[in-house]
Amino acid sequence: MSEAKVTILGCGSAKPTKTTSPSGQLVELCDKSFLVDCGEGVVLTMQKLGIHTSRLYNIFISHLHGDHCFGLIGLLTTLGMLKRTQPMHIYAQPDLQKLLQPLLDYHANDRLYDIIFHPINPRKHAVIFEDRTVSVETIPLKHGVPTCGFLFKETHRVQREDGSFDYETRKRYAYCSDTQYSEKIVPIIEGVDTLYHESTFLNEHGARSKEVKHSTAAEAAKIASLAHVGKLILGHYSARVEDHSLFLKEAKPIFDNTVLAEENLVFEI
Ligand SMILES: [Zn+2]
Ligand SMILES: [Zn+2]
């Protein structure tokens, strides 16, 4: 079985820059792929990295700000051109279908595959996906619009000495973007192997960060520390900060095992 990993397809915030596209990442667990958020540019990055979409069946959208969903219509029409026939499941709040359906009817009506929308309530912590080896839970976040993160759990069936079977959770990965500092998420993400937490701003932008309901690198590190996670990945950088090492500099004294997301990087979970 392949390793649990996350590939960064985009880690910028709303405004694309020369080096960062808006949010998107591919989570791989138990030989399955899950797309989390789909900002503009995600389909292009997937093509550049040679990521095949034939094993992708599930897409999770954290919220409806454009930097997290403007890439969807491009991806879904591309899949139509590739003559995809397997269904695609999209987990997002109900408004996404309302917004996307007219575009799909206009641009992708001749597609050969079904798109199945699964409405989720971003304000409620709940299991929204479950199969034999992977489950996904929502993580309610604090942002300007209804937003949730996602907690991925890898579960394996193990045989006990007496021959009976039990289930054991192995890797856990939490995606928390976009959000302002919120300790409410700590019990949900306690002890995860890897946490991706948005880090839009630096300490010097603290007031602006609160105003637009985002987090600083130091706040992301504080959450990682309180939740005793294994590793913290920072991302969702503001376009106003060109040198991403500044985020690391502010986070590391609070949580040492912190790394920077950059487009095309792959992290073990
Ligand atoms: Zn965003
Ligand atoms: Zn947002």
Side-chain angles (χ1 to χ4, degrees), residues 12-14 23 63 65 67-68 143 177-178 214 236:
S13 56
S23 292
H63 65 301
H65 280 157
D67 55 322
H68 296 258
H143 194 43
S177 188
D178 298 355
H214 281 295
H236 198 270

Side-chain angles (χ1 to χ4, degrees), residues 70-222:
F70 279 177
L72 268 177
I73 188 65
L75 173 63
L76 297 171
T77 49
T78 301
L79 296 180
M81 285 187 264
L82 292 170
K83 307 280 181 234
R84 180 188 177 98
T85 53
Q86 309 107 314
M88 180 64 85
H89 297 263
I90 302 179
Y91 299 79
Q93 54 194 283
D95 280 357
L96 181 73
Q97 184 173 4
K98 259 196 266 174
L99 295 168
L100 206 55
Q101 196 63 54
L103 292 173
L104 288 170
D105 292 343
Y106 193 90
H107 296 289
N109 215 13
D110 58 350
R111 68 184 189 278
L112 304 172
Y113 70 100
D114 288 330
I115 296 171
I116 298 144
F117 288 93
H118 298 263
I120 61 174
N121 179 356
R123 292 192 174 88
K124 200 172 154 221
H125 172 218
V127 177
I128 54 165
F129 172 92
E130 202 166 23
D131 70 9
R132 270 184 344 110
T133 52
V134 178
S135 66
V136 184
E137 298 169 20
T138 45
I139 308 169
L141 299 174
K142 274 172 99 173
H143 194 43
V145 297
T147 304
C148 64
F150 300 105
L151 174 64
F152 290 82
K153 288 183 183 172
E154 188 186 82
T155 311
H156 291 263
R157 197 165 86 129
V158 286
Q159 193 167 17
R160 286 179 172 160
E161 277 178 16
D162 64 3
S164 65
F165 287 97
D166 205 354
Y167 287 90
E168 175 180 288
T169 298
R170 294 194 187 159
K171 296 288 185 177
R172 288 191 300 146
Y173 173 66
Y175 173 89
C176 295
S177 188
D178 298 355
T179 186
Q180 67 181 98
Y181 180 80
S182 169
E183 291 182 7
K184 278 194 182 157
I185 68 175
V186 170
I188 303 174
I189 63 170
E190 175 73 35
V192 296
D193 297 277
T194 303
L195 165 67
Y196 176 93
H197 193 291
E198 75 130 286
S199 155
T200 308
F201 293 109
L202 297 169
N203 285 332
E204 65 182 280
H205 312 121
R208 173 78 183 144
S209 181
K210 278 198 179 64
E211 192 189 325
V212 292
K213 296 191 166 55
H214 281 295
S215 302
T216 63
E219 287 171 333
K222 181 135 188 255

